[in-house]
Amino acid sequence: MIQLNNLHKYYGSGEQRLHVLKGIDLHIREGELVAIMGSSGSGKSTLLNILGLLDSQDEGRYTLAGTPMERLKEKQAARLRNQLIGFVFQSFNLLPFKNALENVALPLYYQGMSRRARNDQAREYLDMVGLSDRATHMPNELSGGQKQRVAIARALVTRPKVILADEPTGALDSVTTGEVMSLLHEIHGRGNTLVIVTHEPEIAAQTQRRIILRDGLVVPESESQTESVPEGVK
């Protein structure tokens, strides 16, 4: 599903040029549930941005669902993001002036779907995350866990190939974290490829595989079995 070969990313120029990703080789299979971990400065945020087509590599090859992600213009990248990728963020990123149903339906608007069709599909996904009775509630009327469920429904509504979750439980208490992780496991059980960026070892332990970044490189699997990321480090 995701194939990275010798991926490099630089920021800045001249003497100030910063080499952030230093030759990432990575394969995430279709239907896999993986965690990406790493301390501050390891490159995991940059990697997530490239996986989500929010940024592009300077060298190397990124293939998503069999299609090379190279030399994309912004309109092409936006279209592919909308078709192939669902995002879940720590801060939820819900529009405060739209209710739960409208937030979930928003990606379908950009696909050109009619209002009735997108609202019907949004209701289906709100029901799937257990929030059909909150469809008309505004974000400020929802708890943190409910906001994250709305965000997950929004990520799923376009039926993407890959779900990218950036610290999806970082703003939640332990009970709500358990509920959200149960939902993510249910989504994975439906066949979705799910990539979770997290600094929490207990979250990573619930995935099938950990990918640990250190200084812009993937830690070899033999080392990652024993390496841990200090709790609270992002």
Side-chain angles (χ1 to χ4, degrees), residues 18-231:
L18 182 62
H19 197 180
V20 181
L21 301 182
K22 304 174 182 178
I24 298 286
D25 291 308
L26 180 61
H27 181 209
I28 298 174
R29 295 178 293 275
E30 184 173 359
E32 195 171 13
L33 170 60
V34 304
I36 295 178
M37 304 185 75
S39 58
S40 179
S42 63
K44 66 182 188 296
S45 295
T46 299
L47 177 59
L48 186 72
N49 285 339
I50 291 174
L51 292 179
L53 303 179
L54 298 169
D55 202 351
S56 58
Q57 70 272 22
D58 292 309
E59 300 173 23
R61 187 175 179 86
Y62 171 23
T63 303
L64 175 61
T67 302
M69 299 292 114
E70 297 175 2
R71 303 181 189 87
L72 298 176
K73 295 180 180 178
E74 179 49 39
K75 283 188 177 180
Q76 291 175 302
R79 178 176 54 81
L80 288 168
R81 277 196 301 271
N82 189 266
Q83 292 175 344
L84 299 176
I85 301 167
F87 293 93
V88 179
F89 301 96
Q90 176 178 346
S91 56
F92 319 127
N93 284 14
L94 301 180
L95 296 181
F97 52 87
K98 290 187 177 292
N99 63 33
L101 181 71
E102 292 166 335
N103 266 283
V104 174
L106 189 61
L108 301 175
Y109 168 81
Y110 292 111
Q111 288 189 354
M113 189 177 288
S114 71
R115 179 189 295 271
R116 174 175 290 184
R118 65 178 183 259
N119 284 348
D120 286 346
Q121 194 159 315
R123 285 190 188 92
E124 175 187 339
Y125 281 87
L126 271 180
D127 184 58
M128 194 194 80
V129 301
L131 287 179
S132 57
D133 60 336
R134 296 290 188 271
T136 60
H137 285 58
M138 305 301 283
N140 64 2
E141 299 174 313
L142 301 173
S143 69
Q146 289 170 339
K147 289 177 185 176
Q148 194 60 291
R149 284 174 176 267
V150 172
I152 290 170
R154 183 185 57 191
L156 291 170
V157 75
T158 58
R159 302 185 176 108
K161 297 284 188 181
V162 177
I163 306 294
L164 300 178
D166 187 10
E167 302 282 1
T169 61
L172 306 176
D173 59 44
S174 58
V175 173
T176 311
T177 290
E179 294 172 352
V180 168
M181 284 306 298
S182 293
L183 178 57
L184 291 176
H185 279 290
E186 179 184 336
I187 291 164
H188 172 244
R190 293 169 178 254
N192 288 90
T193 304
L194 189 55
V195 179
I196 299 176
V197 172
T198 182
H199 70 279
E200 300 175 81
E202 59 270 28
I203 298 300
Q206 297 182 51
T207 65
Q208 295 172 319
R209 180 162 61 104
R210 295 188 312 162
I211 297 166
I212 296 178
L213 297 187
R214 185 204 300 144
D215 299 328
L217 287 167
V218 175
V219 174
E221 193 168 344
S222 58
E223 295 181 37
S224 69
Q225 298 300 319
T226 57
E227 179 160 334
S228 62
V229 177
E231 192 167 351

